[in-house]
Amino acid sequence: MRHFDDLDRRRFLLTGAAGLAAAALPFRFAYAATPPHRFEHGTFKIAVVSDGFLKVPANVLLPDAPKDELAAQVKAAGESPDDLKPATNITLIDTGSDLILVDAGSGQNFVPSAGKLSENLKEAGIDPVKITKVVFTHAHPDHLWGLADGDTLRFPNADFHVGAAEWKFWSDGDLKQKLPEPMHFMINGAAENLARIQTRVKQVKGGDEIATGVQVLDTPGHTPGHISLQLTGGDGLIVVGDALGHAQISFSHPEWRHGFDTVSGLAVETRRALLDRAAKEKTKLIGYHFPYPGVGFVERKDTAYRFLPA
Ligand SMILES: [Zn+2]
């Protein structure tokens, strides 16, 4: 059980999850809507819709990184080390016959700076009733918890797709014995939300097609069953989810342990493989946590890579 051995050593989970929980303040503030970022890819019409952003200190996101080097990377990204603000970018794929949402955002019970998907869909004139499929890259709060408002599903006509390994991971009845206490709110949230879609979920694996030209790509590590989506057309497009978590640091230092990766070594392998492939094949990427809208390309730089916004 490689990942549980790994997990035992995940000191981050203590600080990281506690930091996120502490940020979940019981108030919300007025929000100015963000218009969607629209473009066409092959036969698909894509819209990136903002769910807002998160807040996390750099040393929680990259707990093992050498301090000076981390500070330099944060500065290069134009961010403040105490207050990284990862965007939360939700991809909507219009295939002509399906409207596919990739992740559902944070909803109202996670952090006040996120959970804006519904407002932004409304402002954009996109009716949630018309969404036919929702694909979850993984079951962390900022991707999953927005699927319902109270007990009401926000996408009442959609089928839901989750990686089979992801479903299995969060369905493990002994998970609380295996993960540190500060992570238990994520286990509770996953249990509660996955139960809401239990009768309508399709468990998927790498190579499965969500729709013609929209294929599941296994990108495990951030969570054991994390998936991305790859789209045909041009040089390809990959909706990477959290397989690449930061538009500066995941590219320049893919080897640095990311504080919220569950299976750290595997997450590094996945990052390297994705970066290598996307650089070689000139694949377009959409990163969930890259600065909005998170669309761009990968270029080799020195011994690593860099992100080039489209
Ligand atoms: Zn995330």
Side-chain angles (χ1 to χ4, degrees):
M1 292 299 288
R2 179 181 170 189
H3 58 264
F4 291 131
D5 294 343
D6 250 12
L7 276 172
D8 289 338
R9 291 183 280 107
R10 298 287 76 96
R11 280 175 296 123
F12 103 80
L13 291 171
L14 294 164
T15 50
L20 278 182
L25 301 171
F27 68 87
R28 309 199 64 79
F29 50 83
Y31 176 72
T34 307
H37 175 80
R38 298 180 190 272
F39 63 96
E40 292 190 8
H41 177 84
T43 58
F44 305 112
K45 290 193 174 97
I46 311 286
V48 180
V49 184
S50 174
D51 190 49
F53 62 93
L54 308 178
K55 292 175 178 222
V56 58
N59 62 359
V60 170
L61 196 63
L62 288 310
D64 298 341
K67 279 193 175 58
D68 290 355
E69 180 60 5
L70 178 58
Q73 290 295 325
V74 169
K75 195 175 173 199
E79 294 184 86
S80 151
D82 298 331
D83 197 21
L84 298 187
K85 290 180 176 152
T88 46
N89 303 322
I90 295 178
T91 302
L92 189 64
I93 306 162
D94 184 349
T95 71
S97 46
D98 271 306
L99 201 51
I100 304 168
L101 191 72
V102 190
D103 290 323
S106 293
Q108 302 308 299
N109 298 318
F110 187 40
V111 291
S113 57
K116 312 300 182 191
L117 176 64
S118 289
E119 289 157 79
N120 284 329
L121 285 174
K122 194 174 177 194
E123 282 293 320
I126 300 165
D127 188 349
V129 163
K130 294 193 173 141
I131 290 169
T132 56
K133 293 172 179 174
V134 179
V135 180
F136 293 104
T137 58
H138 63 299
H140 278 167
D142 52 320
H143 301 255
L144 176 71
W145 291 11
L147 72 85
D149 197 3
D151 279 330
T152 308
L153 290 178
R154 287 199 159 121
F155 313 103
N157 296 319
D159 287 332
F160 298 90
H161 297 70
V162 178
E166 190 71 1
W167 189 272
K168 185 167 178 241
F169 175 74
W170 295 102
S171 303
D172 175 357
D174 295 329
L175 199 53
K176 281 194 179 164
Q177 275 86 66
K178 296 168 180 169
L179 297 181
E181 201 280 332
M183 261 205 93
H184 290 186
F185 81 99
M186 291 196 197
I187 301 174
N188 294 338
E192 191 180 330
N193 283 290
L194 293 176
R196 291 187 167 117
I197 57 171
Q198 198 158 19
T199 57
R200 291 162 64 173
V201 78
K202 289 182 183 160
Q203 295 185 36
V204 295
K205 55 185 186 335
D208 287 353
E209 279 210 321
I210 303 296
T212 302
V214 182
Q215 194 181 54
V216 175
L217 180 67
D218 278 328
T219 44
H222 180 65
T223 58
H226 186 283
I227 56 171
S228 302
L229 286 185
Q230 53 183 347
L231 277 62
T232 55
D235 294 317
L237 184 154
I238 301 178
V239 185
V240 299
D242 284 10
L244 295 165
H246 192 281
Q248 168 76 26
I249 299 167
S250 302
F251 290 70
S252 57
H253 285 283
E255 78 285 5
W256 282 355
R257 183 168 73 85
H258 182 296
F260 298 100
D261 287 346
T262 308
V263 197
S264 182
L266 189 55
V268 172
E269 280 173 39
T270 290
R271 273 198 286 281
R272 288 191 188 285
L274 255 182
L275 290 166
D276 186 58
R277 174 184 161 186
K280 271 189 193 133
E281 299 179 3
K282 305 189 191 319
T283 315
K284 190 176 269 187
L285 303 182
I286 304 177
Y288 194 79
H289 292 303
F290 299 175
Y292 177 81
V295 183
F297 299 92
V298 184
E299 187 179 77
R300 282 203 161 273
K301 184 174 185 278
D302 305 326
T303 56
Y305 305 87
R306 71 168 166 170
F307 179 63
L308 298 174

